[in-house]
Amino acid sequence: MKKILLFLSAVMFLFFPMNIHAEEMVTVRLFQNIEETSELDIMLKGGYFSLNPFFQFEDGVNYSLSVKKGKLVIKGNGQKQVVEGSVYIVPEKYDVDHQILINNHPYLGAMEFAVENNQFIRPINQLPLEDYLKGVVPLEVYPSWPIETLKAQALAARTYAVAHINDKMDDTIRFQVYGGYDWKASTTKAVNETKGEVITHKDKLINAFYSASNGGVTESNANVWGGNPEPYFPIKEDPYDPTHPWEYSLHQEQISLDNVDWTDSKCWDETEEVDQKITNTMKKKLQKNGYPGDIKIVSIPTFELSKDQYDSKRSRKGSITIQFLHRLYDGTVMLEEYELKDVEINRIRPLIGGDLFKSYLIDSLDFQNKTYTMQGRGYGHGVGMSQWGASIMGQKGKSYQEIIQHYFPGTTISKY
C-alpha cells in the first residue's frame, strides 16, 4: 500500500502544476457518508486517467462500483470490468475543475478505490495538504466565525495533519473531519493567509489538540491519554470559553418485565426501552463486547461516580451495571448482566454516547424518582484549544497569534 501511495504521489507531481510540487501530500481514507458499503456511484468532471490499463473513465459518465467475491466490479458507459485489487484514478490536471464525485459528493486530487475486508469499498483520497485543510476547517468550526478564529483553527488543523501525515488518517473525528471539495470562502481565506504555518515547541511540531468547549477549564494531555504532561497543555481557567452546560437523564428501569406477555410471538419486537437513544448505544457496545445477537436493555441498577477527580475537577472513575435480555441465534433468551465497577470513566461514556455525555467535567450525578440525572460542562476532552473559546476571543478582537498563545502557551508559530 505504501509503495502504491508513493507511486501515486510521483504520478501527481508529473501532472500537477509546478506551484504545488513543494507541498506535502495528504492521504485520507473516506468514511463520511460512506461507512461500510459494497456499492458506490462515481462520476468524473474533467479529464482523468486510470492506472488500470483495461478500463478508462470518461468525463460526465455515471459509473457504479461494487464488490463481488472480493473483487471490484466497474459498470458504466456500456462497459463492465472486474478488477482484482484496487482501482486508481488521477486527474490529467490538478485544479478545482477536475473533480471525482462519490455518491454526488465532490473530491479533488487522486483517488484509490480499495477492497476492504474482502467485502467493502474504501475510497482513499490523495491531495495537497493546503487543499485538504480547505475541506477540514469549515467542518471543524463555523465559517461565519471571526477570521482570526478561523486562522487559529487553520493552524491547529495544519499542525495536527502534519504531525499525523504518516498515519492512516481518515475523514472522521478520529483524526479531523474532512468534507472533500466543500470549501467556504472565509475558511479558504484563513487557510491561504496562514499557508505553511504550524505550531511548534522547541522546534518540534506539537500535537495541536482541540475540542468544541472545555467548560471553562483546560485539561492536561496526561489526564486524557496518559504519558508525560506537556507544558503547553496546562490545567487553567479559561475566561473565554462559554462553558456549554449540558444535562441528560436515564431511567433506572427501561423495561418492566412484569408487563411483557411472553406468550405473544410479537412481544420481543414490540417491547421497547424508555430511553431508546441511550439504550441503542448500549446495545451496540454490548454486541461488540461479547454479546452478539439481539439485546433489550431491562435496567441500569447502578450508575455512580467516584469522588476521585483530577486537578481540573474532571471525574476520573465511575461504576455502572446494565441488566439486559440477550436473544441468541437459536432463539434462546437469557437475562445477562454487564458490570463496570470503579473503572476509568472513559469506559463508561461510550455506553451513554458522547453527544449526551459530552465531557468529564461533571457537576453532579443525582438519583431521584428512579431516574439518574447527570449535569456537566463543556464538549470534548478539553485539551488545547477550545473552539468556542477561540470564537469569543476573535469577537473580542484578539489576533490568531494571541489565540494560539492562550491555548498553547509557550509555543511558537513557525513555517513548515
Side-chain angles (χ1 to χ4, degrees):
M1 175 67 73
K2 189 171 183 180
K3 291 181 180 178
I4 291 294
L5 294 176
L6 288 173
F7 176 65
L8 271 180
S9 294
V11 172
M12 298 270 276
F13 285 152
L14 282 173
F15 285 88
F16 288 3
M18 290 297 292
N19 64 346
I20 73 162
H21 281 195
E23 279 198 35
E24 190 73 53
M25 302 296 287
V26 173
T27 302
V28 54
R29 300 166 71 233
L30 306 182
F31 285 83
Q32 293 282 349
N33 306 313
I34 295 172
E35 298 299 332
E36 295 181 335
T37 182
S38 59
E39 296 182 355
L40 284 178
D41 293 322
I42 69 171
M43 186 180 76
L44 309 180
K45 290 184 178 180
Y48 280 77
F49 66 91
S50 171
L51 302 187
N52 303 78
F54 302 110
F55 195 97
Q56 294 300 317
F57 295 86
E58 294 188 17
D59 183 6
V61 176
N62 291 311
Y63 296 91
S64 66
L65 274 66
S66 59
V67 178
K68 304 292 184 183
K69 297 181 180 180
K71 297 180 180 180
L72 274 175
V73 179
I74 312 169
K75 294 181 180 179
N77 203 26
Q79 302 179 69
K80 177 181 177 180
Q81 180 71 40
V82 178
V83 179
E84 189 163 355
S86 297
V87 171
Y88 304 93
I89 305 174
V90 180
E92 294 177 355
K93 179 182 179 182
Y94 182 82
D95 57 28
V96 297
D97 294 324
H98 287 71
Q99 303 173 18
I100 301 176
L101 278 69
I102 302 177
N103 292 345
N104 291 319
H105 194 91
Y107 295 88
L108 304 180
M111 193 74 67
E112 173 189 359
F113 294 95
V115 176
E116 192 172 74
N117 298 329
N118 217 39
Q119 57 181 328
F120 304 123
I121 303 174
R122 180 63 55 213
I124 304 172
N125 190 198
Q126 189 174 59
L127 74 166
L129 170 64
E130 296 297 318
D131 284 353
Y132 161 75
L133 295 172
K134 293 169 188 175
V136 169
V137 178
L139 295 186
E140 288 288 356
V141 291
Y142 290 102
S144 59
W145 279 356
I147 186 64
E148 295 301 303
T149 299
L150 302 183
K151 290 180 181 180
Q153 179 64 51
L155 256 71
R158 185 182 293 107
T159 305
Y160 186 91
V162 174
H164 292 271
I165 208 156
N166 292 320
D167 297 339
K168 292 182 178 180
M169 291 200 298
D170 62 42
D171 60 350
T172 73
I173 58 173
R174 288 189 292 266
F175 290 89
Q176 298 185 113
V177 180
Y178 164 65
Y181 184 51
D182 186 16
W183 299 359
K184 307 299 179 187
S186 58
T187 49
T188 295
K189 179 181 179 182
V191 172
N192 287 338
E193 292 186 359
T194 61
K195 184 175 181 178
E197 292 185 351
V198 291
I199 310 168
T200 61
H201 182 256
K202 295 183 178 179
D203 297 324
K204 293 183 179 180
L205 285 171
I206 72 167
N207 263 316
F209 296 119
Y210 53 88
S211 60
S213 167
N214 58 39
V217 183
T218 61
E219 181 59 281
S220 166
N221 62 291
N223 291 346
V224 177
W225 299 290
N228 296 321
E230 299 290 355
Y232 44 84
F233 291 135
I235 296 173
K236 67 174 184 177
E237 297 288 328
D238 182 4
Y240 299 104
D241 189 282
T243 71
H244 283 92
W246 50 265
E247 175 182 318
Y248 72 89
S249 295
L250 175 63
H251 291 80
Q252 184 181 54
E253 184 180 71
Q254 292 294 318
I255 295 174
S256 175
L257 295 181
D258 294 337
N259 295 331
V260 178
D261 181 5
W262 296 107
T263 63
D264 186 349
S265 60
K266 299 180 181 179
C267 71
W268 182 272
D269 294 330
E270 294 178 350
T271 300
E272 296 181 341
E273 298 91 346
V274 177
D275 303 306
Q276 291 184 46
K277 182 172 183 179
I278 295 177
T279 56
N280 285 341
T281 302
M282 288 181 174
K283 292 176 191 179
K284 291 177 182 177
K285 292 299 179 183
L286 289 171
Q287 287 166 341
K288 290 182 178 180
N289 282 279
Y291 298 96
D294 295 332
I295 291 174
K296 297 287 185 182
I297 306 298
V298 176
S299 68
I300 297 88
T302 59
F303 185 22
E304 56 192 22
L305 298 175
S306 166
K307 293 182 179 180
D308 190 13
Q309 293 182 327
Y310 292 109
D311 291 341
S312 63
K313 305 301 180 184
R314 287 176 170 84
S315 297
R316 298 187 64 172
K317 294 186 176 182
S319 302
I320 191 169
T321 305
I322 303 172
Q323 291 182 344
F324 59 98
L325 297 175
H326 183 204
R327 186 168 69 174
L328 306 181
Y329 293 119
D330 64 0
T332 304
V333 177
M334 302 177 65
L335 181 62
E336 308 260 24
E337 185 173 277
Y338 181 78
E339 182 181 34
L340 295 175
K341 189 173 180 62
D342 198 32
V343 299
E344 295 294 326
I345 201 166
N346 61 9
R347 294 182 61 190
I348 296 176
R349 186 186 179 206
L351 291 167
I352 306 297
D355 55 341
L356 293 175
F357 193 157
K358 294 185 176 182
S359 77
Y360 302 126
L361 191 54
I362 303 166
D363 294 318
S364 63
L365 175 58
D366 297 325
F367 180 65
Q368 294 183 5
N369 300 321
K370 297 184 178 180
T371 302
Y372 303 101
T373 301
M374 180 179 285
Q375 295 179 323
R377 289 169 285 146
Y379 198 167
H381 49 67
V383 180
M385 186 173 71
S386 161
Q387 293 166 309
W388 277 99
S391 75
I392 300 298
M393 291 187 72
Q395 291 172 19
K396 291 183 177 296
K398 302 295 184 181
S399 68
Y400 77 93
Q401 294 94 337
E402 290 174 305
I403 296 172
I404 295 300
Q405 275 304 305
H406 175 69
Y407 285 111
F408 306 102
T411 60
T412 302
I413 296 176
S414 307
K415 277 287 186 177
Y416 173 66

